[in-house]
Amino acid sequence: MNTNEIVHINGRYRKPDCDLLDSTHVMIRIKTGKDIRRVEVVYNDPYIRWNTEGGLYWPFYTMEMNRTGETYTNYYFTATIPCELHRLKYYFKIYDDYDCLQYSESGFTRGYNHNDLAMFFIPYITKSNIFTPPAWIDGVVWYQIMPGRFNRTIAGVTEKLEYLKDLGINGIYLNPVYHAHSYHKYDVIDYTRIDPELGTEEDFKELCEKAHTMGMYVMLDVSFTHCSDKNPMFLDIIEKGEKSKYFRMFKANVSKDGELEYECFGMIKSMPKFETEDFKTIAYFANDVVKKWMKLGVDAWRLDVANEISDDMLEEIKHVITDTKENTYVVGEIWHNATEWIHEDALDGVTNYAVSRAILEFICSPQHDIFKYRSRVDEMIHSYTLKQLKASMPLLDSHDTPRLRTVCNHDKDKVKAALLLLLTFYGTPSIYYGTERYMEGGGDPDNRRHTNWDEKSQDLQDIYNMCQLFIRLRREHPALANAGSFEWVEHNELLIIKRRTEEEELYIALNSKEYGLDTVLPMDGNFENLVDGNRIGKNIYVGRLGFLVLRRISI
């Protein structure tokens, strides 16, 4: 047995291998090598004992774990275990073709008595231990807007709310709107004022009010880590040095030669970094910034460069946000695995770039390798708890990446396929402004072009219609969003995903080939293709990079 590939991380409530679903159910995961055939988890309350003739005996339950994921080198096994008394101890029995080993905090053993094992523990579960992101985000599809590039001003955004409503959008995600030095507004001069180029505070309040009456939420982007070198607080330390009352709010020091030295964001000298461990910095953003904008109508926050914010600041900001408005959503920009940042005292979710990388590599590479895509997705799914995954914000492009059309080399079939995979996956997805209008653009700043509202090409209409359809299907069929299970269906030619709730079972079938395909579905029955309304049986034709969303029907 290849024990080097076996991994289970038992942490205090915040590890993806131990997900507290509620106070009486825990989802347990373990990763193994591909030589493993089955895994059992042995469990019970740690304090239950029976008196027997041989002494005290720990009664136990044994549950077969389900194999829920596969990569090139590993399997993932999962089980949901009841713990009615809110605590648990457990170990694993792992089987290959020849042997059975126990796996616990004692390591790998064979045939040990339970009393001789140091088992894994889930301590007593209290309500505060259970990560519970806002429930309302389950049904949201966000639309990311750089106001100055989308429709020039905040009032211009308000004018386009009907357009966004028709598309199916019910969440507006605004890039920074504060008074700033540059067009992107991340180099902020004053966090408490709207940039004059974008309008007035009254314009912003009107946008929030109208969005709310239309059933839309408003998310605002903010950077707690850096500002403009024209910010008055930073100018004060340039003038006064260590005597400035703002000196400790920045990552700055005075050299032996009397020169001011300071850290900056991304090596950009004009964007000095805040000291996010300083209590004045935390108090400023919590009390002067966050509270102000929430009173104007903000429902959610996107924290820029969230992995560079101190834990102290994240915790304090989260408490201030939720005290100001309960169930406010907080998502952080983090490009790498971010499990440790998502919990009740920090972020509700992150910008899930892992989804973007997996989808775009699959769709845009010449091979369109189905197993490689499945491996990437399985690895990502098992790197987070399910609640963390559902509360995160997957995307395909943004102000920090080339546009989807450009990445797909102006191939409409690839753009549609990528949007399908995004909008039928877990999370609260985000569409970058103009993606639905088939906008092109390379790296920054080419990906931040002004929207051409006069364009009315057939290509634009085609992509818009498909994006609108996918959003509608996601909303009408919760199985395609966070309510559904996620399973691969084996097929030697198609990528097939089963999404299921108690009420409905749907199949997403994608032909990743560069040519049309006559094939046979592995599922029995008759189906309606929700993409075009056609009824089909097992024998189907799927065009190049074509797809179907199937619902079983009776005839």
Side-chain angles (χ1 to χ4, degrees):
M1 186 179 295
N2 184 4
T3 57
N4 291 329
E5 292 290 339
I6 297 174
V7 179
H8 173 74
I9 301 175
N10 172 271
R12 190 175 183 269
Y13 315 123
R14 293 180 181 173
K15 301 295 182 183
D17 290 349
C18 302
D19 184 11
L20 305 186
L21 302 180
D22 53 43
S23 63
T24 58
H25 293 87
V26 180
M27 188 168 71
I28 301 293
R29 290 170 172 165
I30 187 170
K31 181 170 75 170
T32 73
K34 299 186 80 169
D35 59 324
I36 300 306
R37 297 296 168 254
R38 46 189 289 257
V39 179
E40 295 174 336
V41 58
V42 180
Y43 66 94
N44 204 348
D45 185 276
Y47 296 109
I48 292 179
R49 292 287 189 276
W50 290 351
N51 284 308
T52 68
E53 291 182 0
L56 289 177
Y57 172 75
W58 179 66
F60 60 89
Y61 300 96
T62 301
M63 181 181 291
E64 185 87 16
M65 302 186 73
N66 296 316
R67 203 177 82 188
T68 53
E70 177 183 5
T71 69
Y72 285 105
T73 56
N74 296 102
Y75 290 139
Y76 295 93
F77 293 85
T78 304
T80 298
I81 302 176
C83 50
E84 294 181 2
L85 298 178
H86 317 296
R87 60 197 172 219
L88 202 65
K89 76 173 182 178
Y90 63 96
Y91 71 96
F92 301 96
K93 294 175 74 174
I94 304 174
Y95 300 82
D96 65 7
D97 287 330
Y98 312 102
D99 201 0
C100 172
L101 293 181
Q102 299 160 319
Y103 179 46
S104 65
E105 287 196 353
S106 299
F108 294 98
T109 54
R110 184 184 288 103
Y112 272 40
N113 184 287
H114 298 150
N115 295 328
D116 297 328
L117 289 175
M119 299 190 195
F120 297 113
F121 272 77
I122 300 291
Y124 194 90
I125 302 170
T126 64
K127 185 177 180 181
S128 63
N129 302 140
I130 302 169
F131 172 58
T132 309
W136 59 263
I137 62 173
D138 272 356
V140 176
V141 176
W142 298 98
Y143 189 88
Q144 180 189 352
I145 295 173
M146 299 189 79
R149 301 303 172 99
F150 174 69
N151 203 27
R152 307 292 177 176
T153 63
I154 297 294
V157 175
T158 305
E159 290 173 6
K160 291 296 181 182
L161 288 181
E162 289 291 348
Y163 166 86
L164 297 176
K165 186 75 173 178
D166 289 343
L167 180 61
I169 298 299
N170 58 349
I172 309 300
Y173 151 30
L174 298 170
N175 284 109
V177 298
Y178 322 103
H179 183 207
H181 182 66
S182 301
Y183 76 93
H184 54 68
K185 312 303 179 193
Y186 283 98
D187 51 353
V188 179
I189 294 173
D190 188 347
Y191 285 89
T192 64
R193 290 176 53 206
I194 289 277
D195 193 289
E197 291 180 353
L198 299 180
T200 66
E201 189 171 296
E202 192 59 35
D203 292 334
F204 184 84
K205 186 176 181 181
E206 183 181 341
L207 169 63
C208 293
E209 289 174 349
K210 185 170 182 182
H212 292 158
T213 63
M214 296 173 68
M216 295 180 174
Y217 299 93
V218 178
M219 178 192 293
L220 188 56
D221 200 344
V222 65
S223 172
F224 297 146
T225 60
H226 57 273
C227 65
S228 168
D229 61 358
K230 305 295 189 296
N231 188 298
M233 294 184 291
F234 186 73
L235 291 176
D236 195 73
I237 75 166
I238 289 178
E239 177 186 350
K240 302 174 183 176
E242 292 177 294
K243 295 181 179 179
S244 169
K245 64 180 179 179
Y246 305 112
F247 186 77
R248 296 190 181 279
M249 290 179 64
F250 289 87
K251 284 189 169 292
N253 65 277
V254 176
S255 71
K256 294 178 181 179
D257 300 326
E259 295 292 324
L260 179 69
E261 299 174 338
Y262 62 92
E263 293 185 32
C264 51
F265 167 71
M267 315 302 288
I268 303 171
K269 203 69 175 172
S270 61
M271 298 172 79
K273 281 182 72 71
F274 284 109
E275 175 52 83
T276 62
E277 292 184 304
D278 180 74
F279 75 95
K280 281 189 177 180
T281 308
I282 296 172
Y284 168 70
F285 281 110
N287 299 318
D288 295 2
V289 180
V290 166
K291 288 182 179 179
K292 172 191 170 68
W293 294 100
M294 291 190 71
K295 288 176 182 176
L296 292 175
V298 169
D299 306 294
W301 289 92
R302 186 260 193 191
L303 308 187
D304 191 49
V305 201
N307 57 344
E308 295 189 12
I309 301 172
S310 72
D311 291 345
D312 286 346
M313 175 178 253
L314 277 177
E315 183 172 350
E316 179 61 24
I317 291 289
K318 180 68 174 291
H319 290 167
V320 168
I321 287 173
T322 53
D323 285 348
T324 304
K325 185 189 291 186
E326 192 176 5
N327 290 323
T328 300
Y329 176 54
V330 182
V331 63
E333 181 209 15
I334 300 181
W335 290 59
H336 53 80
N337 183 279
T339 305
E340 295 291 333
W341 279 267
I342 306 175
H343 56 84
E344 59 280 357
D345 292 322
L347 304 175
D348 294 313
V350 293
T351 49
N352 196 340
Y353 280 98
V355 172
S356 171
R357 288 190 291 268
I359 292 175
L360 294 179
E361 182 180 357
F362 172 53
I363 295 298
C364 298
S365 67
Q367 292 78 25
H368 307 302
D369 188 323
I370 289 176
F371 185 74
K372 185 175 183 180
Y373 174 69
R374 287 175 41 161
S375 297
R376 293 282 296 274
V377 171
D378 274 352
E379 185 173 23
M380 183 263 297
I381 285 176
H382 291 84
S383 296
Y384 292 91
T385 70
L386 197 53
K387 283 191 283 189
Q388 289 177 329
L389 201 61
K390 290 178 178 180
S392 288
M393 190 169 72
L395 65 162
L396 293 172
D397 50 357
S398 74
H399 64 293
D400 286 325
T401 71
R403 284 193 170 273
L404 178 60
R405 173 179 174 177
T406 301
V407 173
C408 291
N409 199 25
H410 307 272
D411 187 323
K412 284 197 303 177
D413 291 340
K414 292 180 179 178
V415 170
K416 292 176 185 177
L419 286 167
L420 171 76
L421 293 176
L422 173 73
L423 291 167
T424 56
F425 191 67
Y426 290 126
T428 176
S430 174
I431 305 294
Y432 187 37
Y433 81 92
T435 293
E436 83 290 357
R437 298 180 63 81
Y438 202 41
M439 280 182 65
E440 62 181 316
D444 175 13
D446 190 43
N447 56 348
R448 304 173 181 182
R449 301 182 192 182
H450 290 283
T451 306
N452 180 2
W453 292 105
D454 295 326
E455 184 181 353
K456 298 186 180 348
S457 70
Q458 185 56 50
D459 285 346
L460 182 158
Q461 195 62 50
D462 195 17
I463 297 299
Y464 176 92
N465 290 343
M466 198 57 69
C467 191
Q468 183 185 53
L469 172 66
F470 294 155
I471 295 172
R472 178 174 63 79
L473 291 179
R474 182 181 182 88
R475 190 151 294 132
E476 292 178 354
H477 302 276
L480 295 175
N482 285 348
S485 61
F486 187 95
E487 304 169 50
W488 307 113
V489 177
E490 296 301 326
H491 194 273
N492 60 359
E493 294 177 304
L494 300 175
L495 172 72
I496 303 180
I497 304 165
K498 181 166 75 172
R499 306 296 314 271
R500 182 174 57 84
T501 63
E502 291 183 0
E503 294 78 26
E504 192 172 39
E505 184 172 280
L506 301 176
Y507 297 87
I508 302 142
L510 172 68
N511 173 23
S512 61
K513 304 284 192 299
E514 289 289 336
Y515 51 84
L517 193 64
D518 286 298
T519 190
V520 180
L521 290 172
M523 308 88 70
D524 293 326
N526 296 289
F527 300 89
E528 177 190 5
N529 180 10
L530 298 177
V531 174
D532 57 18
N534 289 334
R535 296 187 173 192
I536 63 173
K538 285 176 68 73
N539 296 296
I540 62 171
Y541 173 82
V542 190
R544 169 192 179 266
L545 295 173
F547 45 81
L548 310 94
V549 179
L550 302 175
R551 174 174 58 184
R552 186 176 276 108
I553 56 173
S554 300
I555 294 181

